[in-house]
Amino acid sequence: WYQRRVRGKQWYQRRVRVGLGEERLRRTMEEILMCLEEETLPPHIREGYLMLFIYFPLTMKEEFADYIGPILNPILSGLASESEFVRHTSYKAGQRIVQQYADSAINLFLPVLEEGLFDDNHRIRLASCQLLGDLLYKIMGVTGKQSTVTGDEDDNFGTDETKRLIINVLGENRRNRVFSGLYMARSDVALAVRQAGLHIWKIVVTNTPKTLKEILPVLIELILGCLASDSYDKRMVASRTLGDLVKKLNDRILPEVVPILERALETDNVIQRQGVCLGLSEIIAATSKEQVEVYSDSLLPAIRAALTDSDSNVRTAAAGTFAALHNVLGTKALDEILSPLLSAMETLEGEEHDYLIGALKEIMQAKSKVVLPYMVPKLIQKPVNIGALASLSSVAGTALYEHLDTIITAILEGLSEVEEEEVARDLEHANLIISSIKEIDGHENTLEILEETLKSEETKMRLYSSILIGTFCQNEYLEIEEHITVIWKCLLPRFSDLDKSVVKNCWTAFNTATKRLPSGDQVRLVPDLKMSIYLAIDAKNRRDPTYTLPGFCLPKGLATVVALYREGILNGSPELKEQAILGLKEAIQYTDQPALKPSVVQITGPLIRVLGERYTANIKTACLDTLSLLINKVKVALKPFLSQLQTTFMKSLNDGTREVREKGVTALTKLVSLHNRVDNLFTDIHSGTKNENLSTRETMFSALQGTMYIGGSNMSANLALSISDDLVKSLLVPLLDSTTKKIPAVRSSSEVAIATLLRLKANEDVANRISSNLDPKSLEIFNRFLPTAKRVAGENRTHNGHENNIFSFLPEV
């Protein structure tokens, strides 16, 4: 209803305007055209104005012919509109003009339609093609609505009579231009344009090969013009048309086209040179091997020249030409083009050398699987051209992976032989090769190769391999979780390398790779890291308690390992916690004091936290062992944790598991060496000896023994003097009483603790002071204890970890 209303309104407007006269119509048309030039004009208003051009020709007839030229551009612009209604109305207006003025004003609108066939906008190309078809149908006297779907695209429905009619109306030259444009439309990049061009061509052309021969000069001129166009679409259309033309005419066109294209490659127009390369690619692809060989003497030098062109776009297009040539000629193309280029690489310098490398890169990108096996043997000949290998490998894609062994080995050998001042440059090129590997297959191959070269007996091979594996670990395409265990097993054994630079590089690579792991994967990989470290230590060194791993002894050398184990301790399952703690203990064992100090806080905090929670005995004993080892290693560096550790160790003395209590005693005995004031600790342990639980009392006696022996010298003067009073009695009486127990461990611990206590006052008249402070029963036990103490001294039964015989003073007593 709306459309009928608008059309009715437009019809009344044209009747009124005709009645107003020619001058008023001219002014009105100027206003309409001015409005249509506004880009911001709303689509519905633009459609209304364009609809006038459908009805004006019907009313004004030949008087409207003067306005055809000015209104064609607005109509074509409407054909390119995003609005479907505007496009439809514009096309109807164009149809009206073509149908009504095909005889009288063809010279006005035909050039515009010819130009529209090569417009950058595919909608304008499509509409121009359809309107040209309408024009030709009108001339021929057909509707053009018949089906042209056949098995062969060269089937034709035109006749000699329709051919004569078209030539009579258009003239032969214009007919040739129109038909050339339609033929190129058959190769358009837009499907709709190709279909429309093919449909029209089949209807209006009598015989395709014959017609092509007639329009060939004009068609070649159009093709060359499009090959030199700034529009990539036009160049593609031209090159496709050229290939299709060669298929149709074969030998009849090659002698004419090939020399023209060869000359066009020598022009200064970069865009034309690029377009010519595209055209040659299509020609070669459409020509038989025998025909290409006929022209190979002139084609091969031309392609070589295009491959080394100063413009990268030309080189890219020429690489496509080379790929097409190789598909036809095979290895001859490699020998005739690649071999001279590789030979010239040794002599060219500066920009020419860069152009040559650029050409080889483009060839590699186009035909890597064929070209790489041909080029690698030549490039790895000594002296190895690492720069060229790097440039070509970066674009070789997956074809590179089959040759990684050869390439990497050659690069490492080349690096080992170059002068010192060239090493940095060649290393940069080598790193570029490693960084260009993007697929998992390539990563596996690279890692396997570098693992072997890291075991080389030659120091330089190991050194440069360690640098390359560092680059490998930084590769953004590397799925680190898939390869981390192999990387660890590859790098950790090199932490003990004789060359310090190798150790440093391997540590850096290890640090880089491990830090890339997500926290969830770090927890999962705790057992793998533990096993990797274990395997990295030689069996002989594992038996040496003083051995340290050089890689761990670097500044912050243990930081990454500690961070991963810390994740396992804090966030892992109980099984993983135990593995992480044991792994941490092992790492501490192989690290010296300076390297351990920066990580003391990160190690101690999680272990104290675990000991403060309810975990199984094996986890607690692992924590206590690790802390004991850490105390031995860093000593005073743990003083900030002294209070927390003392509380934690004292708590472990009351644990229900004997092994945990024993480990607690060991840890507490080592901790007491850090104390300057041990009175409170002795008092706490003494309080524990009153525990009714025999197992706990045994533990407390053992703790008293160890702490008094190690820290007795730090006892305050007041505490030492008070031994002769109540305190000595309170200490000795339960100890003496325990020497009569039937439990051997309790009796033994009590004996050693008494001996240690007596040692504190060895310079005084100990027997007299004890006699005066003990009750008769205790004194009787004490007198019986002296021979036993001498026997203990004879057996050299001492506190674990100390070689001095603590009973050496007892004979004097």
Side-chain angles (χ1 to χ4, degrees):
W1 175 83
Y2 171 76
Q3 292 291 341
R4 290 198 303 272
R5 180 179 177 184
V6 170
R7 290 191 183 99
K9 183 177 180 181
Q10 302 297 339
W11 186 85
Y12 281 111
Q13 285 179 343
R14 63 181 169 77
R15 298 299 299 176
V16 170
R17 285 169 181 162
V18 169
L20 292 176
E22 184 176 343
E23 180 61 25
R24 181 62 182 272
L25 176 62
R26 183 184 62 78
R27 292 199 303 271
T28 302
M29 286 297 296
E30 290 177 355
E31 293 175 4
I32 293 172
L33 293 173
M34 189 178 300
C35 290
L36 288 172
E37 289 177 359
E38 295 182 11
E39 295 182 0
T40 58
L41 193 67
H44 63 281
I45 298 177
R46 185 180 298 275
E47 180 194 8
Y49 283 128
L50 289 170
M51 202 173 290
L52 289 170
F53 302 150
I54 298 176
Y55 299 107
F56 275 162
L58 290 175
T59 303
M60 301 180 62
K61 301 191 182 306
E62 296 304 321
E63 294 178 3
F64 191 72
D66 295 338
Y67 299 101
I68 291 177
I71 69 171
L72 284 176
N73 284 331
I75 290 175
L76 288 177
S77 298
L79 291 169
S81 174
E82 295 293 332
S83 171
E84 183 180 354
F85 297 109
V86 174
R87 293 199 303 272
H88 178 74
T89 303
S90 299
Y91 180 69
K92 288 296 183 182
Q95 270 189 323
R96 177 71 67 194
I97 291 171
V98 167
Q99 291 172 359
Q100 187 155 335
Y101 301 101
D103 298 327
S104 58
I106 194 170
N107 292 331
L108 294 175
F109 60 80
L110 188 55
V112 179
L113 296 181
E114 290 179 30
E115 185 178 350
L117 283 175
F118 301 97
D119 194 272
D120 290 339
N121 190 297
H122 72 279
R123 292 192 180 105
I124 293 180
R125 295 201 301 274
L126 175 61
S128 299
C129 186
Q130 292 171 332
L131 291 174
L132 273 176
D134 292 339
L135 173 62
L136 295 174
Y137 300 153
K138 174 125 179 112
I139 294 172
M140 295 167 60
V142 298
T143 61
K145 295 181 179 180
Q146 67 265 39
S147 173
T148 57
V149 179
T150 61
D152 190 348
E153 64 177 17
D154 291 330
D155 290 340
N156 301 111
F157 299 92
T159 62
D160 291 336
E161 177 62 22
T162 57
K163 175 183 175 181
R164 184 184 61 78
L165 290 173
I166 291 173
I167 293 176
N168 287 341
V169 174
L170 300 181
E172 188 169 354
N173 289 336
R174 176 157 285 172
R175 189 283 306 254
N176 292 346
R177 288 201 304 273
V178 171
F179 276 25
S180 296
L182 287 174
Y183 188 77
M184 292 186 71
R186 291 168 33 131
S187 301
D188 198 276
V189 294
L191 175 62
V193 180
R194 292 201 300 273
Q195 291 173 336
L198 182 61
H199 176 76
I200 297 168
W201 180 268
K202 284 186 173 184
I203 291 176
V204 302
V205 171
T206 306
N207 181 279
T208 295
K210 184 177 179 180
T211 304
L212 287 177
K213 285 192 291 185
E214 293 173 356
I215 67 173
L216 188 60
V218 177
L219 182 57
I220 294 295
E221 183 181 352
L222 281 176
I223 288 173
L224 290 176
C226 289
L227 289 176
S229 171
D230 292 336
S231 170
Y232 180 78
D233 286 351
K234 287 185 182 179
R235 294 197 297 273
M236 285 301 300
V237 169
S239 61
R240 289 179 180 178
T241 304
L242 201 53
D244 190 56
L245 197 59
V246 171
K247 287 181 184 177
K248 300 283 191 303
L249 301 182
N250 292 327
D251 296 340
R252 287 170 288 182
I253 189 175
L254 287 177
E256 184 174 347
V257 172
V258 172
I260 294 174
L261 295 180
E262 290 174 355
R263 289 194 298 271
L265 278 175
E266 300 174 0
T267 64
D268 295 332
N269 189 327
V270 172
I271 295 174
Q272 186 171 9
R273 295 201 302 272
Q274 181 186 3
V276 168
C277 290
L278 295 175
L280 282 173
S281 301
E282 295 291 341
I283 289 177
I284 292 170
T287 309
S288 65
K289 181 177 180 180
E290 293 75 15
Q291 291 171 324
V292 172
E293 287 178 341
V294 171
Y295 297 95
S296 62
D297 291 341
S298 57
L299 277 177
L300 292 173
I303 295 173
R304 276 200 302 270
L307 282 168
T308 55
D309 196 276
S310 59
D311 186 80
S312 60
N313 292 325
V314 176
R315 293 197 297 270
T316 302
T321 307
F322 168 81
L325 186 67
H326 178 267
N327 290 338
V328 177
L329 295 182
T331 55
K332 182 179 179 181
L334 299 175
D335 296 333
E336 295 294 333
I337 292 182
L338 278 187
S339 187
L341 293 179
L342 292 172
S343 300
M345 189 186 302
E346 300 176 0
T347 57
L348 294 178
E349 295 180 356
E351 289 186 349
E352 292 182 347
H353 183 271
D354 294 339
Y355 296 155
L356 178 57
I357 294 295
L360 294 175
K361 287 175 68 175
E362 295 294 346
I363 292 173
M364 181 71 71
Q365 204 161 4
K367 275 283 189 181
S368 59
K369 291 187 178 179
V370 175
V371 172
L372 198 60
Y374 183 87
M375 296 175 68
V376 166
K378 299 181 183 297
L379 292 175
I380 64 174
Q381 293 177 359
K382 296 183 179 181
V384 181
N385 194 332
I386 299 178
L389 276 173
S391 298
L392 301 179
S393 299
S394 63
V395 295
T398 56
L400 174 68
Y401 305 155
E402 297 178 7
H403 307 277
L404 279 174
D405 192 0
T406 305
I407 291 173
I408 293 176
T409 304
I411 288 173
L412 292 172
E413 291 175 353
L415 285 168
S416 302
E417 297 173 0
V418 298
E419 300 295 332
E420 289 295 329
E421 58 271 14
E422 297 179 0
V423 168
R425 182 197 64 191
D426 286 347
L427 266 178
E428 184 179 350
H429 292 149
N431 288 333
L432 181 62
I433 295 175
I434 301 299
S435 300
S436 65
I437 302 170
K438 301 179 180 180
E439 304 292 336
I440 189 170
D441 292 341
H443 295 153
E444 290 175 352
N445 293 346
T446 304
L447 194 54
E448 183 179 346
I449 296 163
L450 292 176
E451 185 177 8
E452 289 300 317
T453 55
L454 272 172
K455 299 175 183 177
S456 173
E457 295 181 357
E458 298 180 21
T459 303
K460 284 190 175 182
M461 286 286 284
R462 298 198 308 276
L463 174 62
Y464 297 128
S465 298
S466 65
I467 295 173
L468 293 186
I469 201 169
T471 304
F472 175 80
C473 292
Q474 295 174 0
N475 190 327
E476 61 179 320
Y477 303 103
L478 177 67
E479 295 180 4
I480 196 69
E481 312 86 44
E482 300 292 330
H483 305 283
I484 190 64
T485 54
V486 181
I487 291 173
W488 285 342
K489 291 176 182 177
C490 174
L491 292 173
L492 285 168
R494 293 296 103 205
F495 277 26
S496 57
D497 197 277
L498 298 176
D499 188 274
K500 292 183 179 180
S501 297
V502 174
V503 174
K504 176 66 174 175
N505 292 335
C506 287
W507 178 85
T508 303
F510 173 85
N511 194 43
T512 300
T514 308
K515 282 185 175 180
R516 290 181 61 182
L517 289 170
S519 58
D521 285 320
Q522 289 184 6
V523 174
R524 175 179 59 83
L525 291 166
V526 162
D528 296 294
L529 178 59
K530 182 176 180 294
M531 180 57 67
S532 298
I533 295 175
Y534 177 81
L535 295 175
I537 310 296
D538 185 76
K540 179 181 177 182
N541 292 328
R542 282 199 293 270
R543 292 192 295 270
D544 182 1
T546 63
Y547 174 76
T548 55
L549 191 62
F552 285 170
C553 297
L554 294 170
K556 297 184 179 180
L558 200 61
T560 304
V561 173
V562 169
L564 189 140
Y565 282 145
R566 187 174 186 273
E567 283 292 325
I569 293 170
L570 295 177
N571 302 315
S573 63
E575 293 78 10
L576 286 176
K577 285 181 188 294
E578 182 182 4
Q579 290 291 312
I581 295 165
L582 293 174
L584 188 57
K585 176 188 173 185
E586 186 179 34
I588 293 170
Q589 177 65 47
Y590 300 131
T591 309
D592 60 15
Q593 187 186 65
L596 271 173
K597 282 184 177 180
S599 301
V600 164
V601 174
Q602 287 77 14
I603 295 172
T604 311
L607 294 177
I608 292 175
R609 177 176 171 182
V610 170
L611 283 171
E613 297 178 4
R614 294 184 177 181
Y615 286 108
T616 55
N618 53 342
I619 292 179
K620 290 184 177 181
T621 54
C623 283
L624 291 167
D625 273 342
T626 305
L627 287 171
S628 296
L629 180 60
L630 187 64
I631 294 170
N632 276 347
K633 285 277 188 176
V634 299
K635 301 188 185 304
V636 294
L638 276 172
K639 274 205 169 184
F641 293 95
L642 195 57
S643 176
Q644 292 173 275
L645 289 172
Q646 179 175 319
T647 303
T648 302
F649 294 162
M650 285 296 297
K651 182 180 178 182
S652 68
L653 298 181
N654 294 292
D655 194 88
T657 306
R658 178 185 183 84
E659 189 178 0
V660 175
R661 296 196 303 273
E662 290 177 348
K663 297 294 183 182
V665 169
T666 303
L668 191 60
T669 303
K670 292 181 179 180
L671 183 69
V672 77
S673 64
L674 306 181
H675 265 290
N676 291 327
R677 302 178 65 181
V678 294
D679 296 9
N680 292 336
L681 177 60
F682 288 153
T683 303
D684 290 342
I685 298 175
H686 167 249
S687 299
T689 60
K690 300 176 182 178
N691 196 298
E692 295 181 359
N693 187 300
L694 288 178
S695 298
T696 302
R697 288 173 64 187
E698 171 200 343
T699 302
M700 292 299 176
F701 292 144
S702 296
L704 190 60
Q705 165 204 339
T707 54
M708 290 181 69
Y709 174 70
I710 300 298
S713 59
N714 293 327
M715 184 182 296
S716 67
N718 292 333
L719 182 58
L721 289 174
S722 66
I723 289 178
S724 59
D725 301 317
D726 295 338
L727 185 58
V728 70
K729 181 179 178 180
S730 64
L731 288 172
L732 281 174
V733 169
L735 291 173
L736 290 168
D737 183 55
S738 297
T739 60
T740 64
K741 299 299 180 183
K742 294 182 179 181
I743 302 173
V746 174
R747 188 169 63 249
S748 175
S749 298
S750 300
E751 292 170 355
V752 178
I754 292 171
T756 305
L757 179 61
L758 293 176
R759 184 174 181 236
L760 295 174
K761 305 300 268 181
N763 295 328
E764 299 184 11
D765 188 356
V766 179
N768 292 333
R769 295 183 67 86
I770 291 177
S771 299
S772 62
N773 284 282
L774 294 176
D775 60 84
K777 181 180 179 182
S778 298
L779 180 60
E780 180 184 356
I781 297 171
F782 177 71
N783 290 328
R784 291 201 310 268
F785 166 74
L786 289 178
T788 306
K790 291 180 180 181
R791 178 176 54 79
V792 173
E795 294 174 0
N796 198 28
R797 196 189 310 168
T798 62
H799 183 269
N800 293 337
H802 297 278
E803 297 178 356
N804 295 329
N805 186 350
I806 65 175
F807 302 104
S808 59
F809 67 95
L810 287 178
E812 298 177 4
V813 174

